[in-house]
Amino acid sequence: YRDLHTFELQAPTRLIEWARGSRVCVAGYGQSDGNEILQLIPPPTLLTKETQGLCPERDFKVECGGFSERPVYSLKYVPDTSLLVTSGPPDSSLQVWQVSAEDSDIIKSVSPIETENGTGQSWAKIATISARAPWVLHGSRLDRVQITEVESRKNVYTAASGGSEELSSLAFLDCNTLLLCCTAGRLCLADIRQPQSLMEAVSVPSVPCSEQWCMGTRHGAQGLEPSSQPVARLSSRGLLTLTDLRKTSEFLALAKARVPSPGSGAEFLCISWSPALEGCLAISGFDGTVHVYDTQSWDSSGREAEPIFVHKGHAFGGAGGSRDPPLVTVHTWHLQKPRTLLSAASDGSLHVWDWVQPCGK
């Protein structure tokens, strides 16, 4: 490691979200009520773009916080606002939170966003954007996807019925284009200018029906079309696919991650592209580790890929005396520091780590 910071939270955490001023938002999912939502100030070394020397202050600090009456399974910061949107059981409604001004340390709940026929539906997956206005894209199933303006609660878009498959991930490719990933691995594209059009992009390789999938999208450089950026998918058995949305008849690459067999489920599967390292992605959700891969040498053979780095800190540094090995519940990349990631685990541990670039690379 080049650097490693740890912070112990009071409850299992499955969310890490960057907010204004390089703040970090986290939330708990383990309790039926009283789950914390916290905004943390990162250590000073993470607030500078350049790597600094020794710093006396190496810990996170709690800046403000609040409590959710329901488990928080998804959390997104609404860009250019002081709002957070969360979702979680027992239904597909959304909760909106106001991060208070500097003179207060409270994150306050404001009126929720109710969804039509939300009762009985699983919790909603969410994505946010502020290209035109603060929008939240949300839905639990393919036929329940919509966009809501966060502040006015106005419905902006409702997707055409494309089946009732459960969703694992969704994303804005730009202010007009949406990408939806079903738990069975099917990708669908939607254009908000054509509400009745829902186009299937590409299915997944022939795999067991029990396999579950999630996706990761990459934001391209300035001027590049979002569709030119590859979409990565990860299955509960460790299969990885890369897809170019401009040419969906074939895969860009297929690979197999070196991960253990799936355990109790695939609810914590996470795959994400590095915003600064070309071709690098990270995966987690199988055990107490985070794997980083360089995809630039991948082909369509589906052979096992060799990770360039494996973070094992959660597996060996468990908190709280839990008998079960910690499971990494989520990870995310630092927005400016190329090889810096944040990861959280089921034991409440939050890690920030940066690996050393191998010689000659």
Side-chain angles (χ1 to χ4, degrees), residues 326-348:
L327 173 66
V328 173
T329 55
V330 69
H331 71 265
T332 189
W333 294 79
H334 194 283
L335 301 178
Q336 286 88 32
K337 295 178 179 291
R339 289 190 303 278
T340 300
L341 289 92
L342 291 80
S343 55
S346 56
D347 62 353

Side-chain angles (χ1 to χ4, degrees), residues 70-275:
R70 60 172 70 195
V72 182
Y73 276 29
S74 186
L75 177 152
K76 293 294 180 182
Y77 165 66
V78 183
D80 304 323
T81 73
S82 58
L83 299 174
L84 302 171
V85 180
T86 65
S87 66
D91 54 39
S92 61
S93 65
L94 308 181
Q95 285 66 53
V96 182
W97 303 83
Q98 174 75 54
V99 179
S100 301
E102 294 180 359
D103 59 348
S104 173
D105 59 359
I106 302 297
I107 297 178
K108 299 183 296 184
S109 174
V110 296
S111 58
I113 297 175
E114 302 291 349
T115 54
E116 185 179 356
N117 298 323
T119 303
Q121 297 291 324
S122 60
W123 61 278
K125 283 65 180 180
I126 54 179
T128 55
I129 195 172
S130 285
R132 298 173 183 170
W135 287 355
V136 56
L137 169 66
H138 55 103
S140 59
R141 296 187 177 275
L142 201 55
D143 58 356
R144 303 286 182 186
V145 175
Q146 61 189 78
I147 296 175
T148 302
E149 190 172 301
V150 178
E151 293 173 326
S152 69
R153 305 297 196 270
K154 176 185 176 182
N155 178 267
V156 177
Y157 165 85
T158 300
S161 178
S164 59
E165 293 179 64
E166 187 174 350
L167 291 172
S168 65
S169 326
L170 40 71
F172 284 101
L173 296 182
D174 58 29
C175 62
N176 292 314
T177 314
L178 319 173
L179 185 63
L180 317 173
C181 180
C182 301
T183 55
R186 189 160 71 105
L187 288 178
C188 290
L189 278 168
D191 191 320
I192 67 172
R193 296 164 296 188
Q194 302 173 1
Q196 299 308 311
S197 174
L198 192 63
M199 183 185 75
E200 180 173 341
V202 64
S203 57
V204 294
S206 178
V207 294
C209 295
S210 60
E211 199 149 359
Q212 297 187 51
W213 294 77
C214 67
M215 75 168 180
T217 57
R218 184 182 177 198
H219 298 289
Q222 191 73 23
L224 287 181
E225 289 294 326
S227 60
S228 69
Q229 302 303 307
V231 177
R233 278 175 290 176
L234 170 67
S235 84
S236 54
R237 295 183 183 274
L239 185 63
L240 291 149
T241 73
L242 304 184
T243 303
D244 187 336
L245 295 180
R246 299 169 302 178
K247 189 177 180 181
T248 60
S249 59
E250 60 187 44
F251 295 106
L252 282 177
L254 291 172
K256 181 72 171 62
R258 188 181 299 172
V259 296
S261 300
S264 58
E267 62 176 328
F268 297 121
L269 283 184
C270 183
I271 181 169
S272 63
W273 286 103
S274 165

